[in-house]
Amino acid sequence: MSRYDQYFLMTPEDVAGYVQARLSFFPAGADFHCAEIGDGNINYVFRLADRRSGLSLVVKQAGTEARISSEMRLSTDRGRIEAEILRLEHRYAPGMVPRLHLYDPVMCAMIMEDMTGHTMMRTALLRREIFPHFAEHISTFMVETLLPTTDLVMNPKEKKKLAAGFINPDLCEISEDLVFTEPYNNQKGRNHVFPPNAEFVQREIYDDPALRLEAAKLKVDFMTRAQALIHGDLHTGSIFVTPDRTVVFDPEFAFYAPMGYDVGNIIANIFFIWANADAAIDPPEAGAPYKEWAEATIGDLTDLFIKKFKAAFQRLVTEPLARTPGFLDWYLGTVLADTAGVCGLELIRRTVGLANVKDLTTIPDEGKRTRAERIVVFLAKDCILNRAAFQSGSDYLAALNRAAAKVPAWK
Ligand code: SR1
Ligand code: MG
């Protein structure tokens, strides 16, 4: 009987003993150092290192409530879901997720590879690093992990079995509330609206029934259309990068939903770094390389996703009716429309909702932040209301130009 045979929430002092009890990884005589390094909204993440050998590991533990709010009670089963999808994604996209050493259903903890030498992408982007291969990498990751889990490729009975294992009600509820509902009505009074934009948000979001209608349609799709096994929270805080490598982590929101949810999230989060570079870099001309990288990345990742999706479709699809002429274009057209809709939802919820992004909240100048948020909201509305028209990378860049032109430069 060990003290780790019953669930409790660990502190850094507990972690070395825990890992030694579960895994043979560190050499004898290790000199451990452990710190809690999680900066997410939900879980606890510990980095355990042996000063002698230089070896290290990460332990991620699920608590029974979210860190961001004790009102959110969450099933610890999300750890199992995350472990299972990491294994699956490792099969579909080798080397693009951290290596999982062990999932422990008792302590609801995962022991996994420490991505030494990698940086969380949002942190790196805010440090003004750019990643020339990111569009190539992330488009591969999305096509290779999403299409194979659909009914078009997977045996429909196997797919249904897989979908049953990924029923994820608590984390779906978070997304349903925070992505789809609350940004449009602030029904729980927990939106974070930047005060200088309060009237703007009232007028452009809360008082716009046409926008709310489209958010409602997208929400029902999210809740009911079991298209592909999605990551479910694919933003730049869920990605580790080096100049040559992209590693996706934190798939605890995974479940079966429209695949545009993942693609749209990524695009929106690259728009955030564009908005940050546009507003926070002084002098403004110095921001040009970062904005250009963000624009090129959005255009390229969308177009590469389309190209790779078409190639993978020819290679992988087994559903005979999907081979009917016209089907691929129709299917991909709906994926791209979903992508634009979700891109818009993510842009809005991270600007006015409960869980914001540092890309916007750290813009130091009040006027510039106000303008940045308005550009984001106008862009988001275009993406949501006109989503069927977003069928290529250039459609996003045109929409960005339209949105920026609507908000005069701040004096
Ligand atoms: C209570 S969790 C808030 C947000 O953080 C996660 O990363 C998800 O994006 C979620 O919506
Ligand atoms: Mg997360």
Side-chain angles (χ1 to χ4, degrees), residues 40-42 66-69 72 74 174-175 178-179 232-233 235 238 250 252-253 346 349-350 354-355:
N41 295 318
I42 303 185
R67 291 178 83 157
I68 195 178
S69 160
M72 290 180 187
L74 300 174
I174 291 181
S175 301
L178 298 191
V179 179
D233 199 23
H235 56 80
S238 300
D250 224 9
E252 69 199 316
F253 281 77
E346 173 74 358
R349 74 100 166 203
R350 297 288 189 187
L354 175 71

Side-chain angles (χ1 to χ4, degrees), residues 104-251:
D104 169 4
V106 175
M107 289 292 283
C108 306
M110 254 166 291
I111 307 182
M112 58 187 153
E113 181 180 2
D114 178 20
M115 300 307 300
T116 324
H118 294 66
T119 314
M120 189 206 283
M121 189 175 187
R122 194 183 306 284
T123 308
L125 293 174
L126 287 168
R127 279 191 213 146
R128 309 296 173 216
E129 292 170 33
I130 56 178
F131 297 92
H133 308 300
F134 177 70
E136 192 68 67
H137 293 168
I138 202 69
S139 54
T140 296
F141 177 82
M142 291 189 294
V143 170
E144 295 301 327
T145 58
L146 294 169
L147 182 58
T149 62
T150 65
D151 287 289
L152 303 186
V153 175
M154 198 172 263
N155 172 291
K157 283 187 181 168
E158 269 173 41
K159 181 251 176 174
K160 287 176 183 71
K161 223 157 82 191
L162 191 62
F166 283 94
I167 302 284
N168 197 351
D170 289 351
L171 296 217
C172 284
E173 184 183 34
I174 291 181
S175 301
E176 288 152 19
D177 290 346
L178 298 191
V179 179
F180 294 91
T181 306
E182 293 177 33
Y184 301 91
N185 63 10
N186 197 19
Q187 71 178 12
K188 293 193 179 162
R190 55 185 184 177
N191 283 355
H192 295 153
V193 176
F194 188 46
N197 274 333
E199 273 177 36
F200 173 83
V201 167
Q202 184 71 44
R203 184 180 67 246
E204 292 295 333
I205 301 179
Y206 301 156
D207 291 346
D208 187 341
L211 183 65
R212 205 161 52 245
L213 174 61
E214 297 313 313
K217 293 179 192 169
L218 287 160
K219 180 176 178 180
V220 172
D221 264 8
F222 177 78
M223 295 170 86
T224 59
R225 187 144 57 85
Q227 183 178 54
L229 183 56
I230 64 165
H231 176 286
D233 199 23
L234 195 50
H235 56 80
T236 50
S238 300
I239 299 174
F240 286 122
V241 277
T242 71
D244 304 315
R245 194 171 171 213
T246 301
V247 176
V248 173
F249 67 106
D250 224 9

Side-chain angles (χ1 to χ4, degrees), residues 160-374:
K160 287 176 183 71
K161 223 157 82 191
L162 191 62
F166 283 94
I167 302 284
N168 197 351
D170 289 351
L171 296 217
C172 284
E173 184 183 34
I174 291 181
S175 301
E176 288 152 19
D177 290 346
L178 298 191
V179 179
F180 294 91
T181 306
E182 293 177 33
Y184 301 91
N185 63 10
N186 197 19
Q187 71 178 12
K188 293 193 179 162
R190 55 185 184 177
N191 283 355
H192 295 153
V193 176
F194 188 46
N197 274 333
E199 273 177 36
F200 173 83
V201 167
Q202 184 71 44
R203 184 180 67 246
E204 292 295 333
I205 301 179
Y206 301 156
D207 291 346
D208 187 341
L211 183 65
R212 205 161 52 245
L213 174 61
E214 297 313 313
K217 293 179 192 169
L218 287 160
K219 180 176 178 180
V220 172
D221 264 8
F222 177 78
M223 295 170 86
T224 59
R225 187 144 57 85
Q227 183 178 54
L229 183 56
I230 64 165
H231 176 286
D233 199 23
L234 195 50
H235 56 80
T236 50
S238 300
I239 299 174
F240 286 122
V241 277
T242 71
D244 304 315
R245 194 171 171 213
T246 301
V247 176
V248 173
F249 67 106
D250 224 9
E252 69 199 316
F253 281 77
F255 81 116
Y256 260 90
M259 66 175 84
Y261 194 81
D262 281 353
V263 193
N265 260 281
I266 279 292
I267 294 174
N269 279 273
I270 303 298
F271 273 129
F272 286 132
I273 197 63
W274 182 97
N276 179 278
D278 187 52
I281 298 182
D282 206 20
E285 312 78 74
Y290 306 103
K291 288 162 61 181
E292 279 162 19
W293 173 81
E295 289 168 21
T297 298
I298 288 165
D300 289 351
L301 85 82
T302 307
D303 294 338
L304 284 166
F305 176 82
I306 294 168
K307 186 174 145 208
K308 292 177 190 180
F309 188 94
K310 288 181 175 171
F313 185 97
Q314 301 306 348
R315 178 165 45 91
L316 297 174
V317 163
T318 56
E319 162 57 48
L321 283 187
R323 298 279 176 191
T324 308
F327 181 88
L328 168 57
D329 287 341
W330 167 79
Y331 190 92
L332 186 53
T334 65
V335 168
L336 295 170
D338 296 340
T339 295
V342 170
C343 172
L345 296 168
E346 173 74 358
L347 288 170
I348 286 181
R349 74 100 166 203
R350 297 288 189 187
T351 307
V352 309
L354 175 71
N356 310 109
V357 282
K358 284 188 184 150
D359 315 47
L360 296 176
T361 58
T362 61
I363 297 170
D365 181 90
E366 181 178 296
K368 288 182 175 168
R369 176 170 167 191
T370 305
R371 176 171 190 263
E373 292 193 0
R374 290 182 187 191

Side-chain angles (χ1 to χ4, degrees), residues 391-408:
Q391 294 289 313
S392 71
S394 62
D395 294 326
Y396 287 95
L397 305 180
L400 176 62
N401 289 333
R402 284 194 294 275
K406 283 172 101 165
V407 194

